[in-house]
C-alpha cells in the first residue's frame, strides 16, 4: 500500500506539536468523519490528547522537505514551527502555510486500539483548503527512507 502522507498539528496548554502521519482515512460519510492514528511515543500524541481540534494537512508530492521536518525530527528537541511558515487556526492548531490541502477537525472520539497508535476521530470544523491540485499527494514510498524522530 502506498497511501497519502499527512502532517497533523495540534495545540493545547500553550504547547504546539505536529507529526508526519501515514495512517489516516475518511471513516464516515454521514456524518462526515476522518480518523488519524498517532503514535503513543510521539510528542504530538501528548498535545493532541489535550487538544479540542487537530489540523490535517495533505502533503503534495513536492513537499518531501515538510515530511522530513515533521517525520524525521522530534518536537522534544526542535521547534518545527520555527522552521516553516504557519498561522494559528481553531484553538491555535497550527495551519502550515505551504500546504494547499488541509482541514481542521474537532476531536469527537479517541480510539484506543491496544497497539502503538491511537485513533482520533475528527468532525470537520471551520475553514479548510482544497481541492487537491497537481502534483498530487506525497505517497509513503517517497518518504519510506525518512528516519523517524521517535520510534513507532
Amino acid at each position: 500500500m502506498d497511501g497519502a502522507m499527512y502532517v497533523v498539528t495540534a495545540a493545547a496548554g500553550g504547547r504546539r506539536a505536529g507529526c508526519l502521519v501515514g495512517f489516516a482515512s475518511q471513516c464516515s460519510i454521514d456524518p462526515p468523519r476522518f480518523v488519524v492514528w498517532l503514535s503513543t511515543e510521539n510528542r504530538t500524541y501528548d498535545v493532541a490528547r489535550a487538544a479540542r481540534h487537530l489540523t490535517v494537512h495533505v502533503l503534495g508530492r513536492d513537499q518531501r522537505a515538510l515530511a522530513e521536518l515533521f517525520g524525521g525530527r522530534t518536537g522534544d528537541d526542535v521547534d518545527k514551527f520555527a522552521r516553516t511558515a504557519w498561522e494559528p487556526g481553531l484553538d491555535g492548531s497550527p495551519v502550515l502555510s505551504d500546504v494547499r490541502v488541509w482541514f481542521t477537525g474537532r476531536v469527537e472520539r479517541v480510539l484506543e486500539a491496544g497497539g502503538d497508535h491511537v485513533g482520533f476521530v475528527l468532525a470537520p470544523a471551520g475553514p479548510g483548503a482544497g481541492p487537491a491540485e497537481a502534483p498530487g499527494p506525497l505517497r509513503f514510498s517517497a518518504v519510506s527512507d525518512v528516519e523517524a524522530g521517535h520510534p513507532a
Side-chain angles (χ1 to χ4, degrees):
M1 296 201 295
D2 197 18
M5 298 304 297
Y6 307 88
V7 168
V8 174
T9 58
R15 300 181 306 154
R16 63 180 178 258
C19 65
L20 185 66
V21 170
F23 306 149
S25 177
Q26 181 177 342
C27 60
S28 176
I29 296 170
D30 187 18
R33 296 292 183 266
F34 193 87
V35 64
V36 294
W37 295 87
L38 301 180
S39 168
T40 58
E41 296 292 321
N42 198 307
R43 181 174 185 271
T44 303
Y45 167 78
D46 291 332
V47 176
R49 288 298 296 217
R52 295 188 317 191
H53 293 89
L54 303 180
T55 301
V56 179
H57 305 80
V58 182
L59 295 184
R61 212 175 317 184
D62 58 342
Q63 294 183 303
R64 181 182 166 94
L66 278 176
E68 289 175 353
L69 174 62
F70 283 91
R73 305 300 300 243
T74 173
D76 297 327
D77 301 328
V78 171
D79 180 358
K80 299 174 191 180
F81 300 98
R83 297 172 182 228
T84 191
W86 67 279
E87 296 180 13
L90 284 175
D91 287 333
S93 183
V95 176
L96 304 179
S97 302
D98 293 333
V99 179
R100 295 177 293 276
V101 181
W102 61 271
F103 75 94
T104 298
R106 182 179 60 257
V107 178
E108 290 285 306
R109 171 186 259 179
V110 177
L111 305 173
E112 304 278 348
D116 58 7
H117 284 65
V118 170
F120 290 78
V121 178
L122 307 176
E133 46 186 67
L138 184 70
R139 298 286 178 186
F140 174 75
S141 59
V143 297
S144 61
D145 62 332
V146 173
E147 192 170 323
H150 272 285

